[in-house]
Amino acid sequence: MRQSSRNNGKPFIVPQPIRKNGTGGPDFGPRDIMRDIQNPDLLVPPVTDAGLLPNLRMSFSDAHMQLNHGGWSREITIRELPIATTLAGVNMSLTPGGVRELHWHQQAEWAYMIWGRAQITAVDQNGRNFITDVGPGDLWYFPAGLPHSIQGLAEGCEFLLVFDDGHFSDLNTLSISDWFAHTPKDVLSANFGVPESDFDCIPSDQVYIFQSEVPKPAENQAVQSPYGTVPLSFSHQLLAQPPLKMSGGSVRIVDSTNFPISTTVAAALVEIEPGAMRELHWHPNNDEWQYYLTGQGRMTVFAGNGAARTFDFRAGDVGYVPLAFGHYIQNTGHETLWFLEIFKSDQFEDISLNQWMALTPRDLVQNNLHLGPHTLDALRKEKSPVVKYPPYTYYPK
């Protein structure tokens, strides 16, 4: 069926919920055709999909925007994605000089810089301070309860924040302006040893994000603490880390083994080239929270008892995989797919289906699955998280 609308001057096919074998039928009712085009595996699920699984996808484009002078933020928590109980995410942008005010959380904060540059500051429980400038691909981690700030540098910035509690909301944090506004001025006077009149101009409510001047480089902003600086760096340059290269892409893993301060969040930055896929695998230590940075892909999640479901993803989307559920991710586009796998854990762990079979007695595997010698000979004892083996590679139709 064709539609009279045109796409770049050319007519396009309106997708219909019909499989090649004739199952299904046309949808003539009210519908969001652009949604259907972006989610072909919801409209026409693979024939191997079966059973019931909760929604495992949410887009930041569907999240509420908090707009302030100095930047914006939007979040995906258990409110927006009910299955996501272990982690919550905030997408934030700061203008040049824009400040995420001095604040702290009951949860740990892990961050990935998407673009631009920012200056971050923090002080730990022993009075040791930290200040540095971070750029694209850099991470930071602030343990729960430690006060910190973020400020955009000359080009501004955008970043992803991940918190180790799915119920977290960035609009319900502990901010310095909010505390000042709800503390009697005579108490502030006694605490700081200055007249009450010194607090006549403090904000009347939480500031959250505000506009300020672009700060000087971190090396010119240092405040000397009598207790020194923090013993473990709060930042990490992920893109400077050599990747694990494979036939279909690459992986960079970051956890407490190479970013020691990050004791509650582990992650992997995954690159999947066109025609390649993140192999069939699962994670034995916790749920997986995903953030898609570029490209487009599809993920099928296997939950056991005959249940499997497929979702389509684009840049800016969040995916979720419950603990130990099997899954794989295919690049369905013509550009490289980049995404983050993030876990509430101090260690990154995954189990490869291919490797498990290769390290299991051959006769047992053969008798279980009735596989021939060609497949058994091809099993890999070494893990390869991203695979591409033409002509057996997946290519979008």
Side-chain angles (χ1 to χ4, degrees), residues 9 20 22 28 58 73 76 79 96 111 125 139 192 201 232-233 244 251 255 259 288 293 313 336 351 354 356 384:
K20 291 182 178 180
F28 297 119
M58 174 69 184
S73 71
I76 294 179
R79 179 183 59 246
Q125 67 276 14
L139 312 178
F192 293 101
C201 295
L232 297 176
S233 177
L244 303 173
V251 175
D255 58 21
F259 188 19
E288 174 181 341
L293 291 157
F313 295 89
T336 300
I351 293 178
N354 198 321
W356 174 39
S384 181

Side-chain angles (χ1 to χ4, degrees), residues 124 165 214 287 390:
D124 74 4
D165 181 354
V214 174
D287 298 0

Side-chain angles (χ1 to χ4, degrees), residues 68-82:
N68 292 72
H69 291 292
W72 54 258
S73 71
R74 51 191 176 182
E75 62 186 30
I76 294 179
T77 72
I78 197 170
R79 179 183 59 246
E80 290 79 16
L81 188 60

Side-chain angles (χ1 to χ4, degrees), residues 100-105 109 121-123 140 142-143 146-150 163:
R100 173 64 176 99
E101 72 162 316
L102 297 162
H103 66 286
W104 68 103
H105 311 284
E109 173 181 309
T121 72
V123 174
W140 67 80
F142 298 128
L146 264 60
H148 55 279
S149 68
I150 313 163
F163 298 88

